[in-house]
Amino acid sequence: MSDIKNYNCLIIDDEPVAISVIQEHLEAFSNFTCLAGYTRAVEATELLSQGKVDLLFLDINMPGISGIDFLRSLSSPPMVILTTAYRDFAVDAFDLNVLDYLLKPISFERFLKSIHKFLKHSAPTALTQRLEDNEEKSILLKADKKFHKIDLADIVFIESLDNYVVVNTHHQKLICYESLSGLENRLPQNCFLRIHRSFLININKVTAFTSAHLEIKDRKFTIGRNYKDSVIKLLLKSPED
């Protein structure tokens, strides 16, 4: 029997678009279910009273009653992640012992960190470790309005294209609205190497190199002048080092 636990989430935000963004982010996690999204905090009172909500995404600045005042009114609140377009509420937020504080617009990368934080508080240690191990072997990439779970070993190279990146795997090309630097920060540095302002390559796919170029099978890549020293040093490093 699987020991993966399922979690119920609730979203309260007076902006329907903000609710949609969080719902879309949650769709990347098969064991997270969004029970509802409310634009008025009082509408969520009954559902919260049933004790079925594990994680509440709560907007701070709302008409009628603020998210902070609403949270203070709850006798037994679930774990809470506050969302807001303003930084000014951070002190009040952590005084209420909330799990996290997300600034809008909420990127998937920042959202992912909040989910990991929630799992570390909620999931058994062994399960949390397996989730972290799996994260090291794969990455979630958003393309064509859906999330793709890609094995790191399948990624050959990544190319910058204006405000997008093209992720080239053994089986497909994914065009993602993300910066090359942002994606570089999400990938393990011992496997992926920036060789040019426009290219990030999987070190394990390199078949030959010189001081000016490297090759992955029949494709040749220029090593940028500003990256040359670090690239050659790493490529010359033995696996045992």
Side-chain angles (χ1 to χ4, degrees):
M1 181 180 293
S2 173
D3 57 358
I4 298 290
K5 183 178 177 181
N6 293 315
Y7 299 101
N8 291 327
C9 303
L10 179 64
I11 307 168
I12 304 175
D13 196 305
D14 65 323
E15 299 177 357
V17 172
I19 293 176
S20 297
V21 168
I22 296 174
Q23 288 175 330
E24 187 175 351
H25 287 342
L26 282 171
E27 288 174 0
F29 306 93
S30 59
N31 59 324
F32 282 76
T33 300
C34 180
L35 297 179
Y38 294 111
T39 55
R40 296 174 63 232
V42 292
E43 296 174 340
T45 304
E46 182 178 352
L47 185 56
L48 286 167
S49 68
Q50 296 173 7
K52 297 179 180 179
V53 177
D54 301 299
L55 179 59
L56 171 62
F57 293 91
L58 180 62
D59 186 25
I60 293 177
N61 192 21
M62 294 187 293
I65 182 171
S66 72
I68 289 177
D69 288 338
F70 179 72
L71 180 55
R72 289 187 176 123
S73 74
L74 299 176
S75 57
S76 299
M79 288 194 185
V80 176
I81 294 176
L82 290 175
T83 63
T84 183
Y86 307 97
R87 297 178 180 272
D88 304 345
F89 297 101
V91 174
D92 289 337
F94 288 106
D95 280 347
L96 290 169
N97 198 30
V98 300
L99 183 67
D100 207 351
Y101 179 89
L102 293 176
L103 285 173
K104 300 176 184 178
I106 302 170
S107 69
F108 182 75
E109 291 74 24
R110 182 62 183 85
F111 185 85
L112 185 60
K113 290 181 179 179
S114 288
I115 293 297
H116 284 166
K117 187 178 292 188
F118 169 77
L119 289 173
K120 286 180 180 179
H121 280 76
S122 304
T125 303
L127 173 58
T128 305
Q129 185 60 53
R130 284 202 299 278
L131 288 167
E132 292 175 349
D133 290 344
N134 288 336
E135 181 191 359
E136 290 298 316
K137 298 176 183 177
S138 63
I139 188 171
L140 287 172
L141 297 172
K142 186 177 181 182
D144 302 322
K145 297 183 179 180
K146 55 187 174 182
F147 291 98
H148 302 259
K149 187 174 183 180
I150 305 298
D151 289 340
L152 297 183
D154 283 342
I155 299 175
V156 180
F157 69 94
I158 304 164
E159 181 178 5
S160 177
L161 185 65
D162 294 327
N163 295 324
Y164 295 83
V165 293
V166 182
V167 180
N168 293 266
T169 76
H170 288 299
H171 314 292
Q172 62 185 322
K173 289 184 178 182
L174 293 175
I175 300 176
C176 310
Y177 184 63
E178 187 167 355
S179 70
L180 191 63
S181 296
L183 192 51
E184 181 183 9
N185 291 333
R186 295 174 57 200
L187 291 166
Q189 294 182 356
N190 61 329
C191 296
F192 290 87
L193 180 63
R194 185 77 169 266
I195 64 165
H196 189 277
R197 66 180 183 179
S198 299
F199 288 100
L200 186 63
I201 59 98
N202 187 333
I203 299 172
N204 299 314
K205 308 300 181 184
V206 176
T207 52
F209 65 92
T210 69
S211 61
H213 301 87
L214 62 80
E215 297 175 15
I216 298 178
K217 291 189 176 179
D218 57 350
R219 173 142 187 181
K220 182 181 288 187
F221 297 84
T222 299
I223 301 174
R225 181 169 51 186
N226 295 332
Y227 300 89
K228 186 170 297 186
D229 290 344
S230 59
V231 169
I232 298 304
K233 181 179 180 180
L234 187 56
L235 290 175
L236 288 173
K237 188 176 182 182
S238 68
E240 291 78 20
D241 288 347

